[in-house]
Amino acid sequence: MKNFSTKALALVLWSVIFSFGGCAVMDKNIPGWSQYRNPDKVNELQLASSSIGEGNPVLLIHGFGASSYSWRHIIAPLAQKYRVITIDLKGFGESPKPRDDLYSVYEQARLVRNFILENDLQNVHIIGHSYGGGVALVTSVYLAASHPNLQNSLVLMDSIAYPQDLPDFVEVLATPGLGPLIIYAIPNTIQVKSLLKKVYFNDALIPQSAIDHYAGNLDKPNAKYATLTTARQMLPTDLQQFSNNYASLTIPTLIIWSKDDEIVPLEIGERLHADLPNSKMVVLNDVGHAIQEEQPSLLLPYLQQFLDAGTHRTAPNSK
């Protein structure tokens, strides 16, 4: 009875907080694009990674609060033709979680760009989801400026890209006082299950194994610190100015979006499609924000067809 009461109280608190929202404060003192434009080539930390298969590399970049685990359903199918590389972003999964203030997409992309250079990834296809899509965009801008022949193509899935209203759970985590209260007071499994209900279109498809895995990740040392810091730095204050770089990205790009995405709205994807000169867009119905977890069989044919066609660069298409 005691455990039930504790869980019930946590659920009520979680629901009330989401109903009222928070007053998120984005970190305004973190370095912006002007400071990151010419990054150093040495990483102070090593991102956790794994690799399977042979062929041109396909680098998978997960979203906020996730890890390489989020790609579990599509790794083996893609590895039949490609060398599939998964990484855990700084602060997530098995990667280091230093207690510093550098968790923006610019910092993450600097680490990913250096990972690509250090591992000599030639003709790399980069696939990014959500927050990881923002990281993939910045990484692609880096590579286009300094190593334009390294990247073969780009896939963006329900990706952050422009200033937008934060999802309610990110706003809560980014709110001073409230964010730490929530992430440390409410049991991990309740937090994760509540968030996955916003990520999935069909809640019945949420596996208990995923809840347990992500809840376990939150138990790692400094994981909650990294989550809170990333939430505050989710959207750089100069993101609108940075988005001017998108028009110069001429690599073939596939944009995949859920029509019913509650996290990053479809209009963000449509704007990306208009700004990226060599992009194609696919809009999927009856699936949520994390297509690769909820309906991987729906996603895979589009990925495989795009990757298979991407052996050579193509000229920007007309729109």
Side-chain angles (χ1 to χ4, degrees):
M1 184 69 178
K2 181 178 179 181
N3 289 338
F4 173 78
S5 299
T6 300
K7 290 183 178 180
L9 180 61
L11 284 169
V12 170
L13 178 60
W14 190 246
S15 299
V16 169
I17 287 169
F18 274 156
S19 298
F20 285 94
C23 185
V25 176
M26 296 294 101
D27 284 355
K28 296 182 179 180
N29 296 321
I30 62 172
W33 178 241
S34 59
Q35 290 91 345
Y36 273 99
R37 188 181 299 273
N38 298 301
D40 62 77
K41 297 181 180 180
V42 178
N43 284 350
E44 298 78 17
L45 56 83
Q46 295 298 314
L47 299 176
S49 66
S50 64
S51 175
I52 183 174
E54 297 180 355
N56 285 344
V58 175
L59 181 64
L60 305 178
I61 306 177
H62 65 81
F64 174 74
S67 66
S68 298
Y69 176 82
S70 69
W71 302 108
R72 62 195 179 279
H73 299 303
I74 70 168
I75 292 173
L78 292 183
Q80 293 178 14
K81 289 187 178 181
Y82 301 94
R83 178 189 174 197
V84 180
I85 303 168
T86 58
I87 57 172
D88 288 338
L89 293 173
K90 174 184 176 181
F92 298 96
E94 300 300 325
S95 282
K97 303 164 183 63
R99 296 183 71 87
D100 59 30
D101 292 322
L102 299 175
Y103 282 87
S104 72
V105 289
Y106 300 144
E107 173 67 11
Q108 298 280 15
R110 182 183 73 85
L111 296 172
V112 173
R113 176 256 200 183
N114 289 350
F115 176 91
I116 291 171
L117 297 181
E118 290 167 0
N119 289 277
D120 192 28
L121 301 184
Q122 303 284 330
N123 298 315
V124 62
H125 303 273
I126 299 178
I127 301 178
H129 171 245
S130 192
Y131 173 71
V135 175
L137 271 168
V138 181
T139 302
S140 298
V141 171
Y142 277 148
L143 294 178
S146 60
H147 298 79
N149 295 320
L150 283 187
Q151 187 172 356
N152 196 314
S153 70
L154 173 65
V155 179
L156 301 170
M157 298 167 47
D158 298 78
S159 169
I160 63 170
Y162 305 96
Q164 65 167 88
D165 291 335
L166 288 169
D168 50 9
F169 65 89
V170 177
E171 183 177 0
V172 168
L173 293 176
T175 301
L178 186 57
L181 171 64
I182 291 304
I183 203 169
Y184 287 104
I186 295 180
N188 293 349
T189 53
I190 292 178
Q191 293 184 56
V192 170
K193 187 172 183 178
S194 298
L195 299 185
L196 287 178
K197 285 183 176 181
K198 293 185 174 295
V199 168
Y200 276 61
F201 177 81
N202 183 353
D203 293 350
L205 296 178
I206 301 173
Q208 185 62 44
S209 56
I211 296 173
D212 295 340
H213 181 90
Y214 290 128
N217 276 350
L218 272 177
D219 267 337
K220 297 182 188 302
N222 291 331
K224 293 182 178 180
Y225 170 87
T227 300
L228 291 170
T229 307
T230 304
R232 293 197 306 272
Q233 300 181 4
M234 178 75 66
L235 301 176
T237 56
D238 62 350
L239 183 56
Q240 181 59 52
Q241 295 94 314
F242 174 79
S243 68
N244 293 330
N245 290 290
Y246 301 161
S248 65
L249 287 178
T250 60
I251 54 173
T253 302
L254 176 62
I255 299 170
I256 302 178
W257 227 269
S258 164
K259 181 181 178 182
D260 302 292
D261 193 336
E262 295 184 35
I263 309 299
V264 186
L266 177 59
E267 52 262 34
I268 296 292
E270 294 171 336
R271 185 176 173 187
L272 261 177
H273 182 39
D275 283 352
L276 291 169
N278 195 11
S279 65
K280 298 179 180 179
M281 186 169 188
V282 174
V283 179
L284 302 176
N285 297 316
D286 300 328
V287 66
H289 180 67
I291 303 167
Q292 75 278 17
E293 295 204 64
E294 185 174 359
Q295 291 199 43
S297 61
L298 184 63
L299 171 67
L300 272 167
Y302 294 104
L303 287 183
Q304 291 168 326
Q305 181 180 25
F306 178 73
L307 294 174
D308 291 349
T311 303
H312 303 289
R313 291 179 180 271
T314 59
N317 59 348
S318 59
K319 296 191 179 179

